[in-house]
Amino acid sequence: MMKKAFLDIAAVFGCKAGGILINLVFIPFYQRLLSPRDFGIVALVISLQALLSAMDFGTSTLVARDVSASKATNDIQSAWDIWRSSEFLLVSIFTLVASLCLINFIKIAFSTDSAPWQWLGEVLMTTGLLLTISLNNLVFTALNALQNYRTASVIQVGGVLIRAILTVIVLRVIGASIINFLIIQ
């Protein structure tokens, strides 16, 4: 029993530390491959990913509590409802952010001779990426609430590692741009 508890704790710790370590290992590759401007955006995106993993508007706390309780009471519907509500909240928040960016873009487009199309694409893609990271965090939280720590850890760390490797490959082979980075991420 103690060995299982140790492995579960190690899996949760390894998952959180693994994602951070993978990003730290791959940051020098991104820096060498990307322009200073694009790398600055990548550094900001990676920072925002870490921030959103820790701060998700309380949704992971609700999902963890309700999924765990539903397992004990065998009431899957209430856990499903809170999960769906949490997803709706996250999608709503990120839609609001994307809408504000679009409004700002329109104001800039009408006040100058040229519209910053590249900026709009980058911001909207970054918003979509951060939304998917937040939704992924809900899945990770639910798996932990169901005490599937090792499965959650393998999925999380494996996903981060695969994204990082594919990103370096795409940046080298197809082209080093922020858009390619965001598409792979």
Side-chain angles (χ1 to χ4, degrees):
M1 189 63 147
M2 189 151 179
K3 180 181 176 184
K4 181 187 178 319
F6 176 78
L7 289 174
D8 289 343
I9 291 169
V12 172
F13 176 77
C15 178
K16 292 293 184 182
I20 293 167
L21 289 174
I22 290 169
N23 278 329
L24 287 175
V25 166
F26 279 86
I27 283 176
F29 291 107
Y30 303 150
Q31 183 183 19
R32 277 194 295 270
L33 293 169
L34 294 166
S35 70
R37 176 198 178 272
D38 287 351
F39 178 71
I41 294 170
V42 166
L44 179 63
V45 168
I46 290 172
S47 299
L48 288 172
Q49 287 176 347
L51 177 66
L52 286 174
S53 292
M55 185 195 84
D56 58 5
F57 310 104
T59 56
S60 64
T61 302
L62 290 172
V63 168
R65 184 194 69 206
D66 284 14
V67 168
S68 182
S70 74
K71 181 180 178 185
T73 62
N74 212 16
D75 180 16
I76 303 301
Q77 188 60 47
S78 67
W80 184 253
D81 290 343
I82 199 71
W83 184 319
R84 283 301 198 203
S85 297
S86 296
E87 284 181 336
F88 179 77
L89 174 66
L90 290 172
V91 169
S92 298
I93 289 168
F94 282 92
T95 301
L96 176 64
V97 169
S99 299
L100 292 173
C101 291
L102 191 57
I103 289 168
N104 194 30
F105 170 78
I106 291 169
K107 286 173 29 181
I108 292 170
F110 283 112
S111 66
T112 63
D113 291 337
S114 64
W117 292 105
Q118 182 180 356
W119 172 84
L120 178 64
E122 292 167 357
V123 169
L124 293 178
M125 288 180 73
T126 299
T127 304
L129 169 62
L130 296 175
L131 171 61
T132 59
I133 296 293
S134 296
L135 293 173
N136 182 59
N137 193 40
L138 282 182
V139 174
F140 175 72
T141 300
L143 286 171
N144 281 337
L146 294 170
Q147 298 178 343
N148 291 328
Y149 307 112
R150 286 175 255 159
T151 300
S153 183
V154 167
I155 291 170
Q156 192 82 345
V157 172
V160 172
L161 181 60
I162 290 168
R163 276 196 340 252
I165 291 169
L166 287 176
T167 300
V168 169
I169 291 170
V170 166
L171 293 177
R172 283 181 181 232
V173 174
I174 296 176
S177 72
I178 188 64
I179 296 297
N180 286 343
F181 174 86
L182 291 170
I183 288 170
I184 296 302
Q185 291 291 304

